[in-house]
Amino acid sequence: MDERTQELIELTKNKFGLWDYSLKRSSYNRSVNIFNETVYTLSMEWFPNHVLEPVDEDENPDGTAVIEIDIHSRKFQSAIFVMGQTFAKNGVTFASKNDIINWIEQETGLRYEQQFQLRKEEEGELHFTECIGGVDVSPSGMIEVNYNQEGNLTLFSVHGHFPSKERVELESYTLPFEKIEDIAKEQLKLLEFPLFDQQRLVAAYAVEEIYVRNDQISTIPFEPIVDVKGYLKVDKPLSWDEPLRTMFERKEMKWHEEVTAEQASSNEPSPDSLPITEAEQEKCVRVVRDFLRQEYPNDSGIWIIRTLHRENGYIHAILRATEQDSRVFQRKVNIMIDSKNHQVINYMDNLMMLKMFEEFEIPEKVVISKDEAFEKLKGKYELTPCYVYDFDQKQYVLCGKIDCQFGVNAATGDVVGLEDI
């Protein structure tokens, strides 16, 4: 084991009081953040010394400490004691909520209420979210701390990017709802929501969230799950004259990348950080079209490649149907391409999930217009400031997030909470 790795292991043992533990497994990992930077971490699994019986290779006994540290910043990303049990001695202990906040500031270098703020407090748990000067951020970082009745740390995790000042375009928020009312109305959509317990679909007008720039001119789409990677927009329709008669064979995906100590130490850029070139884009479009000619031979003109992105050594092509219905869940295919030889390896189609809705009772007749629905919801819209990462500008810019917790039942005209649909 090299000297640097040993130093990180000793740092971890001392920090978390793992004197009655033994290091069972360790590995280096790397990922690419939204700034296209490669982040290297050392993951460690510490077993309590009193565990004598054999343990399944894929299982960790209760009390195991699973800890991950960024090897270059030497900041801990997570420390989880399995099943909330800890056998640490002179480890991390808290006497109060202020103790926890001060400890987070010390460990992360972040400032409370400037870069992170308390979002939820439960017994033995504190949940924080990322902020910039008290304003929400998207994609949002999260910090969680759990502790037992004795005040001993049982879980700590940091997820997010928490940008430096250089990445933030600070502004004063000046976005009144009246100025963006047309955009707000445009975001009102007639959608079919599934009621799983009743096996039926309900048509309702609901607001599709969106970010409006503080300049009132441009918008940024809302993504419910923002990955750590940027997406290359392609928007290429796919059509063909003849199918391919050869059969497509799925190949096993390699989900975990082997990372060496040398790669981690030298901070070698991950292949996932490389841009997708025009030549690669053309190859991906070609192999995706050929794949569709094999697996979806009758679907010429039905599919469009929306985006390409790199992930775990593969290039992922996200396909959407050119014509979408009004249901909340839309048809999607994710095609995984080997980034070295540009061959399709595997794919995921959400058709099976969508098919179950075919058994649902269809919605009742729509009796209310979009204009009428908007007037009913207008006073319930939310417009809140939020700093959003703009992948084109490579900066966080101030926006107003348009949202609404209510919808209008299109068959009755009743205003209802979306959680009740």
Side-chain angles (χ1 to χ4, degrees), residues 110-385:
L110 303 172
R111 292 172 57 205
Y112 182 57
E113 294 186 334
Q114 290 300 310
Q115 293 167 287
F116 70 102
Q117 56 194 357
L118 183 62
R119 182 58 53 125
K120 185 171 66 172
E121 183 175 357
E122 298 177 345
E123 185 176 354
E125 297 181 16
L126 290 179
H127 300 260
F128 302 87
T129 53
E130 182 181 357
C131 69
I132 295 174
V135 176
D136 288 344
V137 177
S138 178
S140 180
M142 294 170 285
I143 301 173
E144 183 180 351
V145 172
N146 294 0
Y147 53 93
N148 61 19
Q149 290 184 334
E150 291 75 38
N152 299 316
L153 177 76
T154 58
L155 181 146
F156 167 63
S157 68
V158 181
H159 178 77
H161 303 93
F162 302 93
S164 61
K165 289 181 180 179
E166 292 74 30
R167 296 192 188 274
V168 181
E169 190 177 298
L170 290 171
E171 298 179 62
S172 296
Y173 186 68
T174 58
L175 200 61
F177 184 79
E178 295 74 28
K179 292 284 187 181
I180 51 89
E181 192 170 312
D182 289 345
I183 298 174
K185 185 176 181 179
E186 179 63 29
Q187 291 306 112
L188 189 62
K189 312 290 183 182
L190 179 60
L191 300 171
E192 293 178 5
F193 292 84
L195 296 183
F196 291 96
D197 56 339
Q198 300 176 32
Q199 295 283 291
R200 67 187 182 95
L201 297 168
V202 174
Y205 290 96
V207 175
E208 191 176 86
E209 301 103 317
I210 196 169
Y211 298 106
V212 183
R213 292 284 294 267
N214 199 38
D215 58 16
Q216 306 170 24
I217 297 172
S218 54
T219 60
I220 299 175
F222 172 82
E223 298 289 349
I225 302 175
V226 182
D227 300 282
V228 295
K229 61 196 84 54
Y231 290 79
L232 175 66
K233 293 179 183 177
V234 179
D235 289 336
K236 175 76 174 178
L238 298 170
S239 57
W240 53 89
D241 295 325
E242 295 181 358
L244 281 178
R245 301 302 177 188
T246 55
M247 294 289 293
F248 173 76
E249 292 185 14
R250 293 178 186 262
K251 299 178 181 65
E252 189 175 347
M253 299 281 292
K254 186 178 179 182
W255 294 108
H256 183 72
E257 181 187 24
E258 298 291 334
V259 178
T260 66
E262 290 74 20
Q263 288 173 312
S265 181
S266 65
N267 209 17
E268 172 188 292
S270 167
D272 286 354
S273 68
L274 297 173
I276 296 174
T277 65
E278 280 192 32
E280 284 180 304
Q281 181 178 331
E282 290 174 5
K283 289 178 183 177
C284 288
V285 170
R286 187 167 62 250
V287 299
V288 167
R289 182 186 288 111
D290 286 346
F291 161 79
L292 292 176
R293 291 170 65 196
Q294 290 175 298
E295 285 293 283
Y296 302 79
N298 300 319
D299 283 5
S300 177
I302 288 178
W303 293 101
I304 181 169
I305 298 182
R306 287 294 185 196
T307 59
L308 296 172
H309 70 271
R310 295 187 188 274
E311 186 176 351
N312 294 326
Y314 301 98
I315 296 176
H316 290 240
I318 305 298
L319 274 62
R320 297 279 188 178
T322 51
E323 293 185 12
Q324 298 283 4
D325 55 35
S326 59
R327 290 180 182 168
V328 172
F329 301 105
Q330 296 291 333
R331 185 77 187 279
K332 174 183 175 181
V333 176
N334 181 4
I335 299 173
M336 286 75 88
I337 303 164
D338 188 305
S339 58
K340 293 179 180 176
N341 60 26
H342 296 95
Q343 297 296 314
V344 174
I345 301 297
N346 214 321
Y347 71 101
M348 292 187 294
D349 187 339
N350 67 351
L351 180 61
M352 291 303 294
M353 181 192 79
L354 299 180
K355 273 188 172 295
M356 65 180 172
F357 298 133
E358 293 178 2
E359 306 298 322
F360 282 32
E361 183 183 331
I362 64 172
E364 298 177 56
K365 184 180 177 182
V366 174
V367 299
I368 186 170
S369 69
K370 179 176 177 176
D371 288 342
E372 292 170 314
F374 180 69
E375 289 303 317
K376 287 174 178 281
L377 289 178
K378 190 173 172 181
K380 298 183 182 296
Y381 269 78
E382 298 171 6
L383 181 63
T384 53

